[in-house]
Amino acid sequence: MKRIFEHPSEPLTGKKYWRSLGQLSDTPEFRGWLEREFPQGAAEMQSGDVSRRNFLKLMGASTALAGLGLTACRRPVMHLVPFTKGVEWSIPGKPLFFTTARATRRGYLPLVATTHDGRPTKIDGNPLHPVSKGASDSLSQSSILDLYDPDRAKKITREGVAVDEAAFVKALDEAVQGAGDGSGLAFLLQEDNSPTRQRLIGLIGKKFPKATWAVYEPLGPVTDDTSFGQGLEAVPQFDKADVILALDSDFLGNDGDLSTVRGFSARRKVTGPDSKMNRLYVVENRYTVTGGMSDHRLRVPASQVGAFALALAAQIGATTSNAALQDIAKTIASPATKFDGDWVKYCAEDLVAAKGKSLVVVGSRQPAAVQALVAAINGALGNIGKTITGRKTTTAPTVSIGNLATLITDKKVQTLFIVGGNPVYNAPADLDWATLQKSVPTVIRLGQEIDETSTLSKWNVPLAHYLEFWGDGRAVDGSYVSVQPMILPLFGAWSELDLLAKVAGLPKPQGPELIQDTFKEIAKPADFVTAWAKFLHDGFLADSASKAENLTFNGSAAAGFIK
């Protein structure tokens, strides 16, 4: 509360201080203004007894009388508690900046977090990283709001009743100790390319070789492993393409990243008489950011995108005389849906005219057969190795949520760990995940909110925000990036790495020790202290980006898969 200071009364003798030149001159105009401005107090001012103390008395009495009728509007009393321990290097009111990264669908996005007095307040891109270059996206800008979300899960609960962390740790240890070879253990995770997570999964796999690992994303990518082989993914190079066709792919919006936007935008600029803008065709079922930037746009149902790709393949196959593409187009029955013949014809001609400098991309939501068909189209256009390069994938093999549902139905899962996500709400309806989850004896769920999945779980543990724990990941270009915490977990939250470490038999990490062990394996530094400090300062490991891999299109395998 504020302290009320007792001011000394004005002396009767000595200097008299005036408040304005008008009061000093005491002209008739000043007297008239005084009576008009303060008609109730003019007599008091004219009497000469206008001391500061008397003025404060009058104002205080007026305020007190006014407060008699406003007692219900009183501000609640709050006692402020100062820092008992100051934040390192912190100066009140001055920001501190730390590098970190946020997991996205295509990889970790390098960021810089601004903190004031130990509290993160702003998120920006990491200017040192070649992918970010100081830029960020709207989701990263707003992600800091999730940290202070009042709807976050705040307590560890057992069947809806709050318990302390010691009770949960005890129950977790008992579940792990009785797991045997892990045949009754199952993990349902979200997509993440963290090397530390992969290392912990490997340790758990050695300890529980029969444990089941499943990854589920409601809008996650459907992978095509037949066109280019296992462990390789195709990476489009938008900055090298003169003509681009996007099939249900919002690569300038939710389906892309900063590098795709930057690469496409670089070819939209005219810098001289020799500059040539790219041309964009879009086929989609809804209006997207990419559709808004297109030169030509065709709206079709999402279920008919594959049929459009088949019609386009037949046109390109006939124009290029590509045997593999012609064989695929002849084998598959012609779609019942008819498209604008001129649209398909001119789009195909434009792509063929830019052979080797064209690009066809398809959304990750489309079936694997459609993706294989698009790969065959790019092969016929000579884009493989030119506007499409390869990159190795680092994720471990997992099963689908459908396979996990079959194991639960067969009563082969006794303990289920669910990290993030909300499968009760967004799992495929034919699985009836709510009923399946109820049949599992022990369900341990890490989630940021109390939702449909947490209410049907035996244990619910608050999931830490990415600004609350140590972590690591791979950026879009494959470089190794750091995830630094800006603040201790607000509600005693656990991260995914905390849980996996406990299951692996390691103590719950209190600092960056798990990440440091992974960093040593990847960087192999001669001077760990110096290399670790640079890693945290820059936010990424220099020269750790993935090297471009040669892609070889397997036409026969893709054709067999499509058929």
Side-chain angles (χ1 to χ4, degrees), residues 51-89:
S51 65
R52 181 181 298 176
R53 181 174 179 81
N54 288 338
F55 178 80
L56 292 176
K57 283 182 179 180
L58 293 173
M59 293 303 297
S62 301
T63 305
L65 291 174
L68 293 176
L70 298 174
T71 54
C73 299
R74 183 177 301 167
R75 180 179 295 178
V77 177
M78 298 180 67
H79 299 279
L80 300 180
V81 180
F83 280 121
T84 56
K85 183 179 180 181
V87 181
E88 187 180 20
W89 307 113

Side-chain angles (χ1 to χ4, degrees), residues 162-197:
V163 297
D164 58 9
E165 187 180 56
F168 168 68
V169 173
K170 180 180 178 182
L172 178 61
D173 291 339
E174 291 175 353
V176 172
Q177 290 172 3
D181 59 359
S183 55
L185 286 180
F187 297 82
L188 181 58
L189 311 176
Q190 293 180 297
E191 289 282 353
D192 197 305
N193 60 12
S194 167
T196 297
R197 185 176 98 155

Side-chain angles (χ1 to χ4, degrees), residues 207-226:
K207 187 177 180 180
F208 305 109
K210 294 187 178 181
T212 301
W213 298 91
V215 172
Y216 173 67
E217 293 279 358
L219 296 177
V222 178
T223 57
D224 167 32
D225 296 328
T226 60

